[in-house]
Amino acid sequence: MAIAAEILLSSDALPFVKLARSLPNKEISLSQMIRLDEDRYIFMVSIPADERETFEAEASDQPEIVDVRSVGKAPDGWFYQILAERTTDLLESHDPTQFEGVLLDATITGEGWIERKVFADYDALSTLRDRCQMYGLPFELLNISSDPEHPDERAQFGLTDRQYEAIRVAFSLGYYESPRTASTDDVAQELDISAPAASDLLRRAEHRLISQTVANGNVLKPLAGQ
């Protein structure tokens, strides 16, 4: 069963994060990233129409950018193709030879990259998380949906909002790591509830996820620590 996830990758070293911070709205929309060779990438990005001059001026000062070409104008902004050199190993966490999710789109902010991806299952999502950890790239799961075509409708595998929030927080804290890097008490503190209440929420959420998977005839590999 495919899942859609929204992920925050927090690092100043990621491409264009500092550039986004210099723009009025602090955001750059990323639609595609293509690896040309070991050290060069092409990025397809867009920015609001009224930020074109600022973007072009600031982009020329970014050390990783080799070339910026305007592709054209749409009703809501300008599209650019950027040729950039690798200045960090962080993007090695996104190995193009591995299937670790299909990029729907991404927003580059002054804090990092917010990626929206479709994964084949939890194992693929977990693999990306583990690779980000290996390269020292902070990974935070912001949202997850069982409906990749309509992720904003928050089709949360039949979970209640409270169950969904509990399992999301637990995942982001490392409760499902192996070994675990967070306890039930840590999850409870983040949710501002008692440890028994947090344990019950997680138990119910996990039971619902498992029953949904089995009922649909799909068997997903568990996340580390389960």
Side-chain angles (χ1 to χ4, degrees), residues 140-217:
E140 179 181 354
L141 181 64
L142 301 178
N143 195 5
I144 190 169
S145 167
S146 61
D147 186 356
E149 293 185 0
H150 304 92
D152 293 336
E153 293 180 5
R154 296 174 63 83
Q156 299 161 2
F157 305 97
L159 302 179
T160 67
D161 287 345
R162 198 60 173 154
Q163 290 169 352
Y164 169 82
E165 179 65 11
I167 208 165
R168 184 193 70 80
V169 167
F171 185 93
S172 66
L173 291 177
Y175 182 81
Y176 294 106
E177 297 282 355
S178 180
R180 284 180 174 172
T181 58
S183 65
T184 305
D185 287 339
D186 295 325
V187 177
Q189 184 174 359
E190 189 74 15
L191 295 171
D192 196 25
I193 58 177
S194 68
S199 178
D200 183 63
L201 275 174
L202 292 174
R203 180 181 59 80
R204 291 176 182 273
E206 291 161 1
H207 181 272
R208 182 60 178 171
L209 287 172
I210 294 170
S211 64
Q212 282 278 84
T213 301
V214 173
N216 288 333

Side-chain angles (χ1 to χ4, degrees), residues 73-140:
K73 187 179 184 300
D76 56 348
W78 284 88
F79 290 89
Y80 288 88
Q81 175 181 288
I82 301 178
L83 175 62
E85 292 183 338
R86 187 180 70 171
T87 58
T88 174
D89 288 336
L90 293 184
L91 285 183
E92 292 298 310
S93 61
H94 292 49
D95 186 347
T97 66
Q98 303 294 322
F99 183 75
E100 295 161 353
V102 175
L103 181 68
L104 297 176
D105 60 75
T107 301
I108 302 173
T109 74
E111 183 178 356
W113 285 23
I114 300 175
E115 294 186 340
R116 284 164 286 276
K117 285 188 167 184
V118 173
F119 296 87
D121 50 36
Y122 275 110
D123 193 51
L125 173 60
S126 181
T127 297
L128 177 60
R129 178 204 60 197
D130 292 344
R131 286 181 61 82
C132 288
Q133 184 179 40
M134 182 174 67
Y135 282 93
L137 179 57
F139 178 107
E140 179 181 354

Side-chain angles (χ1 to χ4, degrees), residues 11-12 16-24 26-27 109-112:
S11 176
D12 275 355
F16 317 138
V17 169
K18 294 178 182 178
L19 175 58
R21 194 178 298 150
S22 70
L23 301 179
K26 312 295 184 187
E27 291 186 357
T109 74
E111 183 178 356

Side-chain angles (χ1 to χ4, degrees), residues 15-16 30 32-44 64-67 81-96 113:
F16 317 138
L30 172 66
Q32 192 173 16
M33 178 179 71
I34 302 171
R35 186 171 185 171
L36 296 180
D37 52 41
E38 185 176 347
D39 296 315
R40 296 188 305 166
Y41 292 82
I42 284 181
F43 299 87
M44 301 301 297
E64 73 266 30
I65 294 179
V66 176
D67 184 54
Q81 175 181 288
I82 301 178
L83 175 62
E85 292 183 338
R86 187 180 70 171
T87 58
T88 174
D89 288 336
L90 293 184
L91 285 183
E92 292 298 310
S93 61
H94 292 49
D95 186 347
W113 285 23

